[in-house]
Amino acid sequence: MMMVRFLSVALLVALGGFLTGCKRPGAAGGPGGPGGPGGPGGMGMSMPVVAVEARRQTVVETVSLVGNLAANEAVEIKAETDGIIQEVLFEEGQPVAKGALLLRLDETKLTAELADAEARLQLAEASHARAKELRAARLISEQEYDQAASTLAVSKATVELRRRQLRDAKVVAPFDGVTGARLVSPGQVITRATPITWLVDLDPMKVEMEVPERFLGQLHPGQKVQFEVTAYPGRQFEGEIYFIAPRLDERTRTAQVKTRIANPDGLLKAGMVANLELKLVIRENAVVVPEAALMSNGDLTFVYVVGPEQVVQLRPVKLGQRLPRWVEILEGLQGGELVVAEGHQKIGPGMKVAVAPPEKAAAYNSNELRPPLPPAGPASERPGATNAPPSARKPA
């Protein structure tokens, strides 16, 4: 009898402990419940957070490319005839105008050959005139007259050739530009294959780049392009697209695109590498939030929105273009909502929070420039993304 009474008391104590441990989460007095600390209807302390307004601004969708700077015109200067250099008339790196004399070859031999050809021409003209008179008097055959006419034509052609060779002894600039390094010296014997110097036209310059096929539909002639070069860090240059190749490279599926840019000061040089930002799409009044407000769970992204009575709710969002420290929200926010930027690791959906004063969020609203971030991808791959709270990890 005593054993039965002891077992009954033990069962009653165990049952009381079980019922006490099964109190509904969030009931009055429970942590996180309406009556507990931080609960929406309780008297406990709210969790402090820093909240920032989801603002609207213009968002420019860009793609980063690498291009090569090329001169507007560039040519290797060579003589059109063989000879001995008599005089070099340009300085290295000198701006020259079209038609400026760059180099003169020895003209002595060419002048003598021209004089010989002109003398032969005079004789041929006299012979042709006599042959014409004799033919009219039927004193010579047609064949003899044709021979005299042919000799005259050959003599005229020879004179024109000698005059052209004499002109070729002077090397002139084919366009306005800047000379390169001098590769020859006076007295040197050169041929038509001997390089003398380079002449380049650096104003305007060209930027040549290969653009992937998927972006070609958003490009058009006249479109503005911004780029930087390593030689002038932090300085922006702007050009204008003037050429889009009519066909793609079958191996890379890219098309060549050329941009023209003014270079009056000669700062840009041929061969420099240009880091370009191509503006593809401009969206007015896009919604953006600080990157720190984002939480991820696999490919899903969430933000905490501060609602009425300072109660936070978890809201899924769809990301767009990534900006310095900010991210565009394509779906999930309308703009003007308060989103939690700091403190979301300590809160959960339905909890009441205490929003910090505006000066705490001032750092997110400053215009301080930061290095651009990579394009938005899966939320789990973005730097700085935090894990969503347990309630957001998997839908019930």
Side-chain angles (χ1 to χ4, degrees), residues 66-150:
V66 176
N68 294 315
L69 282 166
N72 183 47
E73 302 288 354
V75 64
E76 188 178 37
I77 301 296
K78 297 179 181 179
E80 293 190 57
T81 187
D82 303 344
I84 301 174
I85 297 177
Q86 182 177 8
E87 190 176 8
V88 178
L89 300 168
F90 69 92
E91 297 291 337
E92 296 175 312
Q94 173 189 355
V96 296
K98 179 179 179 180
L101 186 60
L102 302 178
L103 180 142
R104 181 186 291 114
L105 297 177
D106 183 13
E107 301 174 357
T108 306
K109 182 178 180 181
L110 297 174
T111 302
E113 290 177 347
L114 176 59
D116 178 70
E118 289 176 338
R120 293 177 182 275
L121 175 60
Q122 290 178 356
L123 178 60
E125 288 175 340
S127 298
H128 179 263
R130 285 193 300 270
K132 189 175 182 179
E133 293 175 356
L134 293 173
R135 186 186 68 164
R138 296 183 180 276
L139 298 176
I140 61 172
S141 65
E142 286 294 327
Q143 181 180 1
E144 290 174 315
Y145 174 78
D146 291 343
Q147 183 175 359
S150 175

Side-chain angles (χ1 to χ4, degrees), residues 175-206:
F175 51 80
D176 296 348
V178 179
T179 58
R182 180 161 63 92
L183 306 176
V184 294
S185 299
Q188 181 178 344
V189 178
I190 65 172
T191 66
R192 286 173 290 182
T194 304
I196 298 171
T197 187
W198 276 89
L199 184 66
V200 293
D201 177 13
L202 298 177
D203 186 22
M205 293 285 290
K206 299 175 184 177

Side-chain angles (χ1 to χ4, degrees), residues 259-278:
T259 300
R260 185 179 287 114
I261 177 174
N263 187 33
D265 299 327
L267 299 178
L268 301 175
K269 308 295 183 184
M272 284 183 171
V273 176
N275 299 307
L276 300 101
E277 290 293 330
L278 264 180

